[in-house]
Amino acid sequence: MNKKKLGKQKARLLDPAALQEVQKLLSDMPRRKDLLIEALHLIQDEYHFISAKHVVALASEMKLSHTEVYEVATFYHHFDVIKEDQTPPPTLTVRVCESVTCEMYGAKKLTENLKQLFTDGSVTSEQIRIQAVPCVGRCQHAPVAVVGKNPIDQATPESVKQCVEKNEILPTLPQYVNFAEYQQSGGYQLFQDCLSGKRDAESVILELKNSGLRGLGGAGFPVGSKWEIVRKFPEPRLMAVNIDEGEPGTFKDRYYLETDPHRFLEGSLIAAWAVGIKEIYIYLRDEYTAAREILLREIEELQSAFPEILPEIHLRRGAGAYICGEESAMIESIEGKRGIPRLRPPYVAEVGLFGRPTLEHNMETLHWVRDIIEKGAESFSSHGRRDRKGLRAFSISGRVNKPGVHLAPAGISMRELIDEYCGGMLTGHSFYGYFPGGASGGMLPASLGDLPLDFDTLQEHGCFIGSAAVIVFSDHDKARELALNSMRFFAHESCGQCTPCRVGTVKAIPLMEQKYWNKSLLEELSQTMEDASICGLGQAAPNPLRSVIKYFPKEV
Amino acid sequence: METISFELNGQTLDALDGETILQVADRSGIKDIPRLCYKEGYRADGNCRSCVVEIEGERVLAPSCCRYPQHGMKVNSKSKRAIHSQKMVLELLLTDMPEAGKSPYTPNSELDQWVEKMGLSEPRFSRRIQPELDNSHPAMSVNMDACIQCTRCVRACREVQVNDVIGMAFRGSHAEIVFDLGDPMGDSTCVACGECVQACPTGALMPANNVGLEEVDKKVESVCPYCGVGCLLTYHVKDKKILRVEGRKGPANEERLCVKGRYGFDYVHHPDRLKKPLIRLKDAQKTTELLDPKDWHKVFREASWEEALDFAASSFNNIRDKNGPDALAAFGCAKGSNEEAYLLQKLVRTGFGTNNIDHCTRLCHASSVSALLEGIGSGAVSNPFTDVKDAEVIFLIGANPISNHPVAATFMKNAVKNGKKLILMDPRRTELSRHATYNLQFRPDTDVAMLNSLMHVIVAEGLCDEKYITEHTTDFDKLKANVAEYSPEIVSPICGIPAETLREVARTFATAESSIILWGMGISQHIHGTDNSRCLIALSLMTGQIGRPGTGLHPLRGQNNVQGTSDMGLIPMFFPDYKSVTDPEIKKWFEDFWGTSLNPKKGLTVVEIVDAVHSGGVKGMYVQGENPAMSDPNLNHARSALAMLDHLVVQDIFLTETAGFADVILPASAFPEKSGTFTNSNRQVQLGRQAIDPPGDARQDWWIIQEVGRRLGLEWNYESPEKIFSEVRKATPSMAGITWERLQKEHSVTYPCTKEGDPGEPIIFQNGFPTENKKARFVPAKYSHADEMPDQEFPFVFITSRQLEHWHTGSMTRRATVLNAIEPFPVVHVHPDDLKKLGVEAGDAVTLESRRGKISTYARQDLGVQPGNLFMAFGYNESAANLITTSVLDPFGKIPEVKFCAVKMSAGGLPEKRIG
């Protein structure tokens, strides 16, 4: 007779001390289901892990079952759920990025060295753990290691060690255009004009349509049309701004956030006005700590400046899941659930956040709204090369002299970008190939380095521009290694919902590790992943491997 | 009806509203689209992707299980692209199975079936590292190496049964099915409803001990013997034994079951089953000590049926002739069939010549029924509990359906998930509380005050349905006057609920489009149980929340056939169909029908009979399938009555605690061993079909009753339950329209069904009430308290309660392997603060004592219990809760107040030795 078992109801008891701790942390946060992830962050931030006791206490507070909390917490890699028989992690985590560009710049070696370093250094392995993580959005500074929340660019074991020893675990905020400065140079004037009636929604939408502005997160849906569509659905309507920027190679959103954050905020407000939206949810990836700090401050300033007239603005944190950059998965995450993409139809415009019609935009898309409306559609659409229209903020990284965000005409070619914007290839490196649109956009050889880079121009080559995350690789690199890196990334980030992606990504890896690839089998697998996956992650995951087979056949 | 015309594989099909491509295909005979995560009756999830089809004009393939056809859509399930992906998905899933193409866990793996249909061979990918197996649960095995992450089990647990134990944790290829926080199933909050096992397509979740792999000899469609939900099920029989049970689609359960129905069936095969008639040895004294069945030979000897029946009947005859018919009494069995109940009450009335026939309804809803008969002329439910799906507001008071009517509770949880409001009123918080919109954990015994305050608010704020009151009720003025003093402010300190909450609840109930009231023993088992029910009836009537879908009054009937046995007149004041025994016209009718004169006095009720035994009024008893030595209140008093009887005949399947007092024991048939009709809480008359034979020389209950009856002088020649049923129909106008053939065909028919061909009426009182003036009557109730209030010496309130795994006196469930494995020991639920004060740890032994008796049991800490309250189930003979309960009765319903008595609790003690 097990006295312990006899003396209590099944499974875990609510621990009164843990309950008090959770209540204290949550304070007056409403105990709403959609705030589950925010609540988990509070616990993780405070204790550096989430114990079983806290899971139970949180479940009790939110009237959820234990597994409802557990399954959400374990979905996101930034939450460490520690059960009774497990050891809590050290308080300090050093995250070493292992995605495409960082791998090119020696991420694996860096990780190894760091692990070595801290076994015999002044900081013990009980106090620190080294984690290999996917793209942290700083590809132009590869390789990157994040000490706590402090990113170390061009990281070396020494620079990381120093940072750890000095306990510099928070980022320094970059210089950016703050509210006062933004307003002084004309910011929010357009927004006020809209509200006061100097502008009307129809003409604003028309201007956007004429500009040809399309969604810059990757899907490329025409912006003006999207506003029109959502506007027709019944109220209340909501807005969701996607700053989950997780595509390997992409860092443009962070760039604009850390230099000129109000521009997208104003764009959001204008969109909310034009479409008739009273609540805006901004979803920011958790890795962008500095950006979060900036946004918290600047949104507060904005709200103090316009106390009565703004829509409600909610800032939500991601928790380490690339898939939450997919619009419907992001919406699920805002609803406090696992980031699992939804089946479409119905589309998000009609049934979105909390079941309401939702206008969803990548942050950068909104960043351009003010300029286009103030300066006119032509100011945007008149740019372009090779008969393409508009501007594109390319995040460029890899074997070039000047990686970074480069604003260039749509339709520009890779070679032109390298020569005109990036200061040419690194010394000793010759142009071999490139990713035109992040890990999911596929790979192209140098022989196709003159293609126009824009929406719709690369599909026939099995690629796409996506978020314009360009990674340039050289004869120092192997395309198959980079493709394998990409597939590992997708396997790591797959939400696990559907068979083609969950199983396909993982089954592709050993096949891609073989010296000679089973091309027909890989193609069969790729076809199903493309045809039958629920969302873009699974559909695009085979792109790099298909590119290698098509354009770098000698390697496999 | 509007249909949507589209093309599938070149063929034009018409889709009905709400049909997906897959459903249209199946309906049209195109059944070769693979599917795995799709399960009919469950929400389609579209995650496996094996059902993908090509739709002209779309970039990617679409899941046919989730797509609705549009006009003119062109779909191809057999295009190269579609077939390629259908097969590749199957191949990918097959790769990770323990054995390609042949699941070791089920002969019916749906994955294997589709692999074969689609002509797949060996998978070409490398297999995952397999997860470990989990055999921690007595009823179910967890084989995650066969899991295809289809989430059917997640939907089973989270959307169908809403037990919320199963989750999908982690992500990507690490995504795994978990219980609670990734715990072994046997250690989790899993309630073993088995829905996930029933849902799993590959045997990743399967019945334990490989019983799912065995081929069966036959499958018999029947009903569950446990509670008043009346789930339909299928017995899988092998070698004349029940191997396992599956859920079957029924109006009260869809396909759901709970742990008892699904896994609690092997009591029928327990070695303790009575196989031969037993007669008490001449010098075996009757004491109040319980007889351990192992020691049966010390007290009884085996006898032939002839001898046993002769002896049983002749002693009844002697007592009847010497002391008069009213010196005899009988307790019938609410688990038995309608046919058995009808025969037994007929035997008592025409054979004994008395109306001293009663059964456990007396301990259950007697007060509810008396209030209902008084107020609206009918004691049965007005709407089925499944109507919660149509109700805007579900008002549940004094009931614990999570434990006692689990499948009914799933419908309530489904309704809440669909946005309906649940008002839960109970002194104890259970797993259901989490789902409640309003959780009123009020002080025990304060129901009348609390309910009157709700009515006060409704009157004060003008929320009554004046039209309904005028057209359908009388005496509203009396009620209005009565509730005037019960303002929320005055009542709040009495019941412990904030006044504002009382107001909100009242408004919510009254203003909803449809509100339904369900209740249980918390309302009925009080000396003011009738008053409690009067309040519920008034609440319903004054707001017009009755006589329509999603409204009404539903006292949740406990036993699987207690509705039926009451309908059959197995009660002292009514003939079948609630016709009063004291009404001369009705008596004449039955005298003609049964061809004999009948006793004009109404009989004694259960507790009154016990008292009558003590006073010498009753000397002989016939107990069929009842266990008063465990279920009666104040057991010392009840057991000594049993020991005092001159002659006690017990007809049962086990040597129960009651049988130990018998002079004759007649071995009877268990539920799966008989065919008969059983009426659930929804007034659905359902057919139980015999699946196996009784063991040894045990016989059918109806046969035994007939044999006893014959020896009492009754010329009975019933040949079968079917024949008995045809007589039942004649005696019970409400059921007159139901035929045995129809039951065989439809399995379930709702009454009233007065003429053949009537569909049956699930919702009654749509046009008035079965009273003389067709109106309902308000009967006001004044707040009064329980009989035995806690005091210095006995400071705790003791409340009998229910357990999920055990049924009532435990005679069946403690002999069911799985059920007893989950909860083998008696416990009392105590608030941790009370344990601390006593210096006792959870799991320690404690002794509970009242003015009537003393028991020792183990303390289980429960934050859902209010400090000062103790909750305990009454089915453990080593720790029989009814030894300390009170037998004081509600004056109208004659139900004892087992929900409230005063006890003291001390540390230490040891439960008695368990018998049986």
Side-chain angles (χ1 to χ4, degrees):
Chain A
M1 181 174 83
N2 184 334
K3 184 178 123 169
K4 258 194 89 179
K5 234 177 147 178
L6 185 63
K8 66 179 188 76
Q9 283 154 303
K10 292 192 189 104
R12 293 176 173 78
L13 282 172
L14 180 59
D15 179 80
L19 180 64
Q20 274 196 346
E21 285 164 2
V22 166
Q23 285 169 338
K24 186 152 164 255
L25 275 178
L26 264 52
S27 146
D28 59 358
M29 175 197 271
R31 304 309 196 241
R32 281 189 341 245
K33 242 182 117 148
D34 65 291
L35 291 168
L36 179 57
I37 294 169
E38 295 292 305
L40 287 166
H41 271 302
L42 289 173
I43 300 174
Q44 175 81 28
D45 284 347
E46 179 73 18
Y47 297 100
H48 302 285
F49 66 97
I50 301 174
S51 66
K53 279 197 250 182
H54 284 145
V55 169
V56 171
L58 186 55
S60 166
E61 274 300 290
M62 298 194 117
K63 293 206 200 313
L64 297 169
S65 76
H66 298 178
T67 209
E68 284 181 283
V69 175
Y70 183 72
E71 66 173 9
V72 171
T74 54
F75 181 86
Y76 297 95
H77 285 186
H78 285 192
F79 297 136
D80 296 289
V81 178
I82 302 295
K83 288 166 65 175
E84 293 86 348
D85 57 349
Q86 293 170 320
T87 324
T91 48
L92 184 58
T93 303
V94 173
R95 295 183 162 89
V96 183
C97 174
E98 60 170 359
S99 283
V100 180
T101 312
C102 287
E103 174 167 305
M104 282 159 60
Y105 278 81
K108 281 207 178 72
K109 202 84 183 59
L110 176 60
T111 310
E112 269 172 45
N113 290 341
L114 284 173
K115 284 186 173 153
Q116 280 268 330
L117 197 64
F118 288 106
T119 53
D120 43 43
S122 58
V123 182
T124 67
S125 64
E126 264 122 27
Q127 295 162 285
I128 193 170
R129 66 174 167 174
I130 315 290
Q131 263 186 353
V133 298
C135 184
V136 298
R138 304 185 74 86
C139 320
Q140 75 267 57
H141 306 299
V144 177
V146 185
V147 176
K149 295 187 198 273
N150 187 12
I152 312 292
D153 297 334
Q154 282 93 23
T156 61
E158 292 71 40
S159 63
V160 172
K161 183 165 180 243
Q162 268 198 12
C163 185
V164 168
E165 282 167 352
K166 290 192 208 157
N167 202 37
E168 285 164 356
I169 57 173
L170 291 174
T172 30
L173 293 193
Q175 289 281 25
Y176 64 92
V177 177
N178 64 23
F179 178 77
E181 289 159 353
Y182 183 77
Q183 212 182 21
Q184 252 159 43
S185 57
Y188 292 113
Q189 188 53 56
L190 176 59
F191 170 56
Q192 290 174 87
D193 287 348
C194 291
L195 287 185
S196 66
K198 290 210 185 78
R199 301 272 188 167
D200 66 280
E202 284 77 18
S203 49
V204 161
I205 289 175
L206 187 61
E207 201 70 44
L208 286 171
K209 277 170 115 170
N210 290 340
S211 73
L213 180 68
R214 291 168 67 167
L216 300 171
F221 196 93
V223 174
S225 304
K226 200 187 245 190
W227 292 19
E228 240 176 19
I229 290 170
V230 179
R231 219 167 159 234
K232 292 204 179 88
F233 286 116
E235 282 187 280
R237 306 175 203 100
L238 300 173
M239 184 158 159
V241 181
N242 188 337
I243 323 181
D244 196 60
E245 184 164 75
E247 184 66 49
T250 322
F251 42 89
K252 59 173 176 72
D253 291 344
R254 182 176 62 77
Y255 172 75
Y256 286 118
L257 267 179
E258 293 181 351
T259 52
D260 194 6
H262 283 280
R263 205 163 286 266
F264 97 86
L265 284 171
E266 185 169 5
S268 310
L269 296 177
I270 294 169
W273 159 81
V275 176
I277 286 167
K278 299 209 173 64
E279 266 187 279
I280 301 175
Y281 285 80
I282 303 173
Y283 191 88
L284 175 67
R285 71 177 299 195
D286 200 30
E287 291 82 347
Y288 286 178
T289 311
R292 180 177 162 82
E293 196 45 48
I294 291 171
L295 275 179
L296 282 169
R297 290 183 193 185
E298 297 310 312
I299 291 173
E300 212 189 304
E301 293 271 324
L302 174 62
Q303 287 169 330
S304 320
F306 302 108
E308 305 286 308
I309 56 172
L310 297 181
E312 259 188 82
I313 300 175
H314 308 274
L315 180 60
R316 294 294 190 86
R317 273 166 86 174
Y322 159 82
I323 187 62
C324 289
E326 198 280 340
E327 67 176 6
S328 66
M330 180 184 75
I331 283 173
E332 289 284 302
S333 196
I334 296 174
E335 290 183 7
K337 305 192 284 220
R338 291 161 62 81
I340 311 272
R342 296 177 176 176
L343 267 57
R344 266 70 52 92
Y347 294 92
V348 154
E350 185 181 359
V351 181
L353 185 54
F354 304 120
R356 303 306 315 163
T358 302
L359 178 65
E360 190 272 349
H361 272 311
N362 167 253
M363 180 215 116
E364 194 206 343
T365 312
L366 293 162
H367 177 93
W368 297 109
V369 164
R370 176 190 160 191
D371 272 355
I372 288 172
I373 297 169
E374 269 183 0
K375 300 181 187 153
E378 281 273 309
S379 70
F380 187 80
S381 63
S382 61
H383 298 273
R385 288 190 196 179
R386 298 179 177 79
D387 294 326
R388 310 302 304 175
K389 290 197 181 0
L391 288 166
R392 213 53 209 267
F394 290 90
S395 310
I396 308 185
S397 65
R399 303 297 192 186
V400 294
N401 282 313
K402 289 202 233 155
V405 175
H406 296 290
L407 190 62
I412 196 169
S413 74
M414 188 68 251
R415 270 190 219 283
E416 285 163 355
L417 276 173
I418 294 172
D419 296 337
E420 295 173 38
Y421 289 82
C422 299
M425 297 293 291
L426 289 175
T427 317
H429 289 252
S430 61
F431 181 32
Y432 178 38
Y434 63 110
F435 289 80
S440 44
M443 298 153 79
L444 291 166
S447 59
L448 289 175
D450 301 307
L451 293 173
L453 297 176
D454 194 13
F455 294 114
D456 311 329
T457 56
L458 304 175
Q459 270 70 1
E460 66 185 280
H461 304 283
C463 294
F464 57 75
I465 192 174
S467 55
V470 176
I471 307 175
V472 184
F473 53 94
S474 72
D475 56 345
H476 287 236
D477 305 301
K478 285 232 167 310
R480 60 173 286 159
E481 289 297 315
L482 302 176
L484 182 56
N485 181 300
S486 301
M487 187 57 87
R488 288 204 176 104
F489 170 78
F490 292 125
H492 188 264
E493 296 300 317
S494 168
C495 75
Q497 187 183 190
C498 70
T499 312
C501 174
R502 178 186 75 245
V503 186
T505 51
V506 156
K507 299 308 182 207
I509 290 169
L511 292 173
M512 291 167 76
E513 284 169 338
Q514 284 172 2
K515 182 151 186 245
Y516 299 109
W517 285 10
N518 185 339
K519 294 178 192 171
S520 58
L521 183 58
L522 278 167
E523 177 48 37
E524 278 191 55
L525 180 56
S526 299
Q527 198 195 328
T528 294
M529 290 173 74
E530 182 189 355
D531 275 347
S533 296
I534 293 176
C535 83
L537 191 163
Q539 290 161 14
N543 287 346
L545 90 83
R546 274 168 149 172
S547 299
V548 170
I549 292 174
K550 190 167 178 188
Y551 299 121
F552 304 92
K554 290 211 185 85
E555 289 193 26
V556 296
Chain B
M1 174 176 331
E2 248 226 71
T3 57
I4 297 159
S5 172
F6 73 106
E7 257 182 55
L8 175 58
N9 303 342
Q11 191 186 336
T12 307
L13 295 174
D14 287 311
L16 302 168
D17 190 34
E19 268 191 322
T20 58
I21 295 173
L22 188 65
Q23 287 168 327
V24 182
D26 282 351
R27 182 169 56 74
S28 314
I30 301 166
K31 297 198 184 209
D32 55 5
I33 302 175
R35 81 294 303 266
L36 288 167
C37 70
Y38 173 74
K39 181 171 156 67
E40 217 195 290
Y42 282 28
R43 178 185 61 82
D45 200 52
N47 66 62
C48 74
R49 317 305 279 179
S50 66
C51 73
V52 287
V53 295
E54 191 165 358
I55 299 180
E56 198 182 85
E58 294 193 10
R59 179 177 63 93
V60 296
L61 303 177
S64 54
C65 67
C66 286
R67 273 302 207 94
Y68 297 94
Q70 308 288 325
H71 276 292
M73 192 183 252
K74 288 197 172 62
V75 183
N76 197 336
S77 71
K78 290 197 162 53
S79 72
K80 249 183 94 191
R81 271 175 85 198
I83 297 268
H84 173 86
S85 283
Q86 291 164 11
K87 289 173 79 168
M88 178 57 75
V89 163
L90 294 172
E91 183 178 353
L92 287 171
L93 292 173
L94 192 60
T95 303
D96 289 330
M97 292 297 102
E99 273 172 52
K102 190 170 167 5
S103 170
Y105 305 122
T106 171
N108 304 313
S109 162
E110 293 179 39
L111 177 58
D112 292 339
Q113 284 166 9
W114 286 110
V115 161
E116 199 185 311
K117 278 206 192 104
M118 299 298 283
L120 261 70
S121 42
E122 280 293 313
R124 297 165 290 172
F125 303 101
S126 47
R127 190 191 283 170
R128 67 183 168 197
I129 298 174
Q130 295 292 27
E132 295 199 7
L133 308 184
D134 172 3
N135 281 318
S136 58
H137 199 285
M140 296 169 281
S141 291
V142 180
N143 316 304
M144 282 299 148
D145 57 347
C147 178
I148 58 171
Q149 274 94 3
C150 69
T151 71
R152 272 161 59 164
C153 61
V154 180
R155 281 171 273 154
C157 190
R158 303 275 289 271
E159 297 176 29
V160 174
Q161 295 258 357
V162 198
N163 290 316
D164 293 344
V165 182
I166 295 181
M168 180 72 89
F170 304 101
R171 71 173 189 234
S173 59
H174 299 285
E176 62 179 32
I177 294 296
V178 293
F179 305 98
D180 288 349
L181 272 63
D183 302 312
M185 194 196 217
D187 292 343
S188 70
T189 53
C190 167
V191 295
C193 68
E195 187 78 32
C196 61
V197 170
Q198 193 166 282
C200 180
T202 62
L205 294 161
M206 71 171 195
N209 307 316
N210 292 322
V211 296
L213 289 169
E214 298 191 42
E215 248 188 73
V216 298
D217 300 329
K218 62 174 174 172
K219 297 185 192 178
V220 177
E221 296 178 335
S222 191
V223 193
C224 178
Y226 283 109
C227 82
V229 170
C231 297
L232 297 191
L233 51 72
T234 305
Y235 286 119
H236 292 238
V237 180
K238 185 181 176 169
D239 298 336
K240 303 200 180 200
K241 291 177 91 161
I242 301 172
L243 189 61
R244 62 173 191 273
V245 169
E246 300 259 324
R248 179 164 70 100
K249 211 163 146 82
N253 70 313
E254 298 187 358
E255 259 183 283
R256 306 170 195 184
L257 290 176
C258 81
V259 63
K260 293 187 289 290
R262 190 185 294 278
Y263 297 119
F265 56 83
D266 68 342
Y267 67 91
V268 308
H269 301 304
H270 195 276
D272 279 0
R273 280 294 299 276
L274 292 168
K275 300 186 180 73
K276 281 204 173 323
L278 300 173
I279 292 182
R280 195 178 199 88
L281 298 167
K282 281 239 157 27
D283 48 3
Q285 293 276 30
K286 289 188 189 180
T287 69
T288 53
E289 291 295 307
L290 297 178
L291 175 66
D292 191 328
K294 292 182 196 27
D295 298 334
W296 68 271
H297 51 271
K298 295 189 185 154
V299 175
F300 294 95
R301 61 174 173 84
E302 288 181 351
S304 67
W305 273 104
E306 281 296 309
E307 191 194 349
L309 288 166
D310 286 345
F311 177 36
S314 60
S315 299
F316 284 143
N317 284 330
N318 291 341
I319 294 173
R320 181 192 59 198
D321 296 340
K322 202 167 106 189
N323 305 101
D326 289 328
L328 293 173
F331 286 168
C333 177
K335 282 207 171 305
S337 65
N338 289 326
E339 293 72 34
E340 293 161 9
Y342 177 79
L343 272 195
L344 184 63
Q345 60 85 35
K346 190 177 176 188
L347 179 149
V348 169
R349 290 180 162 124
T350 61
F352 286 177
T354 173
N355 284 309
N356 288 346
I357 172 69
D358 205 3
H359 66 283
C360 61
T361 187
R362 195 64 38 206
L363 308 171
C364 173
H365 266 300
S367 49
S368 314
V369 169
S370 83
L372 286 166
L373 285 169
E374 168 195 71
I376 62 180
S378 161
V381 304
S382 69
N383 296 56
F385 54 69
T386 34
D387 257 29
V388 295
K389 70 174 179 340
D390 295 325
E392 204 187 293
V393 170
I394 303 165
F395 187 101
L396 182 69
I397 178 167
N400 186 9
I402 290 267
S403 292
N404 209 69
H405 295 79
V407 169
T410 67
F411 296 117
M412 296 179 208
K413 289 181 280 184
N414 294 152
V416 169
K417 277 202 123 101
N418 272 333
K420 310 304 174 79
K421 300 203 179 96
L422 174 62
I423 300 171
L424 189 51
M425 298 181 150
D426 198 289
R428 178 186 184 191
R429 290 168 54 109
T430 61
E431 253 306 297
L432 192 56
S433 307
R434 178 164 68 80
H435 301 277
T437 323
Y438 295 100
N439 217 323
L440 279 69
Q441 198 176 2
F442 65 101
R443 266 185 219 118
D445 193 45
T446 60
D447 314 59
V448 170
M450 186 175 65
L451 295 169
N452 276 346
S453 80
L454 297 182
M455 292 191 266
H456 173 103
V457 172
I458 293 171
V459 168
E461 298 191 6
L463 300 174
C464 295
D465 186 335
E466 302 287 350
K467 187 163 178 284
Y468 190 89
I469 294 172
T470 318
E471 287 180 13
H472 296 286
T473 73
T474 58
D475 290 356
F476 180 61
D477 298 329
K478 295 205 183 99
L479 184 94
K480 194 166 158 184
N482 184 51
V483 300
E485 333 164 334
Y486 290 85
S487 74
E489 283 67 33
I490 291 180
V491 168
S492 176
I494 298 174
C495 66
I497 303 296
E500 196 44 46
T501 309
L502 294 169
R503 287 184 192 283
E504 264 187 65
V505 164
R507 288 172 198 143
T508 305
F509 179 86
T511 58
E513 178 61 37
S514 47
S515 297
I516 184 170
I517 301 180
L518 305 109
W519 74 93
M521 302 296 96
I523 282 286
S524 61
Q525 287 172 340
H526 279 281
I527 55 165
H528 50 78
T530 307
D531 274 349
N532 288 345
S533 301
R534 284 167 173 156
C535 289
L536 296 177
I537 296 166
L539 196 51
S540 197
L541 292 173
M542 72 197 293
T543 52
Q545 298 285 14
I546 186 163
R548 297 173 285 119
T551 66
L553 295 157
H554 192 115
L556 285 157
R557 306 313 302 257
Q559 294 282 5
N560 61 313
N561 197 29
V562 67
Q563 180 64 55
T565 46
S566 304
D567 297 341
M568 293 299 103
L570 203 64
I571 41 187
M573 64 294 276
F574 291 119
F575 291 120
D577 223 0
Y578 305 96
K579 303 284 194 309
S580 172
V581 300
T582 53
D583 182 313
E585 265 186 50
I586 292 172
K587 178 165 160 297
K588 173 104 180 43
W589 191 91
F590 275 97
E591 282 175 338
D592 291 340
F593 187 59
W594 287 336
T596 180
S597 60
L598 296 170
N599 191 319
K601 287 196 326 282
K602 72 175 185 199
L604 298 171
T605 61
V606 162
V607 177
E608 288 173 329
I609 288 172
V610 166
D611 291 339
V613 172
H614 273 282
S615 66
V618 168
K619 295 195 179 312
M621 280 192 71
Y622 184 7
V623 174
Q624 181 231 353
E626 273 266 299
N627 198 3
M630 287 294 288
S631 59
D632 269 18
N634 191 353
L635 281 178
N636 284 320
H637 184 69
R639 287 175 185 175
S640 53
L642 292 171
M644 275 175 69
L645 285 166
D646 288 350
H647 186 62
L648 172 62
V649 175
V650 173
Q651 180 174 322
D652 212 311
I653 63 175
F654 288 111
L655 213 164
T656 60
E657 292 81 358
T658 302
F661 296 93
D663 295 285
V664 184
I665 300 180
L666 304 171
S669 49
F671 190 96
E673 295 158 2
K674 63 181 70 172
S675 293
T677 66
F678 299 84
T679 309
N680 68 4
S681 195
N682 288 344
R683 287 182 275 105
Q684 285 149 344
V685 180
Q686 311 195 110
L687 189 62
R689 294 181 181 81
Q690 184 172 356
I692 52 175
D693 295 321
D697 213 358
R699 303 276 171 98
Q700 293 294 330
D701 281 83
W702 72 264
W703 178 89
I704 302 172
I705 296 171
Q706 171 159 269
E707 290 297 311
V708 171
R710 281 182 175 154
R711 288 162 175 78
L712 294 171
L714 301 172
E715 286 171 19
W716 283 0
N717 283 303
Y718 298 103
E719 291 155 17
S720 66
E722 186 177 342
K723 291 287 177 355
I724 303 170
F725 184 72
S726 55
E727 187 176 320
V728 165
R729 288 174 62 196
K730 297 194 187 112
T732 321
S734 308
M735 285 167 61
I738 306 178
T739 65
W740 193 266
E741 290 72 37
R742 186 173 169 193
L743 284 169
Q744 282 174 315
K745 194 155 154 269
E746 294 176 21
H747 313 293
S748 180
V749 180
T750 305
Y751 84 75
C753 175
T754 48
K755 287 191 300 297
E756 276 186 45
D758 272 357
E761 287 175 59
I763 300 173
I764 52 181
F765 315 139
Q766 300 195 55
N767 297 306
F769 296 89
T771 54
E772 276 195 30
N773 57 4
K774 295 202 136 273
K775 292 194 178 188
R777 179 158 79 98
F778 284 99
V779 181
K782 287 208 175 320
Y783 171 56
S784 62
H785 56 70
D787 182 69
E788 188 182 69
M789 299 302 285
D791 57 23
Q792 278 264 13
E793 204 193 338
F794 299 98
F796 283 92
V797 173
F798 183 75
I799 303 171
T800 57
S801 66
R802 300 294 179 272
Q803 262 177 315
L804 174 64
E805 292 83 6
H806 283 296
W807 187 263
H808 290 31
T809 70
S811 50
M812 291 155 72
T813 57
R814 296 205 74 199
R815 295 179 172 102
T817 319
V818 165
L819 301 176
N820 206 52
I822 300 173
E823 286 287 0
F825 301 108
V827 292
V828 58
H829 287 247
V830 191
H831 191 279
D833 289 351
D834 286 335
L835 288 179
K836 218 157 144 197
K837 276 196 211 127
L838 206 56
V840 147
E841 268 179 23
D844 282 348
V846 291
T847 299
L848 306 175
E849 194 178 336
S850 74
R851 293 180 171 90
R852 292 158 293 282
K854 192 156 108 164
I855 52 173
S856 292
T857 180
Y858 300 103
R860 174 169 292 180
Q861 64 167 320
D862 188 349
L863 278 166
V865 168
Q866 293 178 54
N869 291 356
L870 302 170
F871 282 79
M872 186 169 175
F874 56 94
Y876 295 83
N877 57 51
E878 64 267 47
S879 197
N882 275 320
L883 278 168
I884 62 180
T885 53
T886 172
S887 50
V888 180
L889 301 178
D890 172 290
F892 307 96
K894 312 287 188 186
I895 185 173
E897 186 159 60
V898 291
K899 281 283 178 279
F900 201 108
C901 71
V903 308
K904 61 179 165 189
M905 180 167 65
S906 52
L910 197 63
E912 303 282 315
K913 185 169 158 311
R914 176 190 166 189
I915 68 149

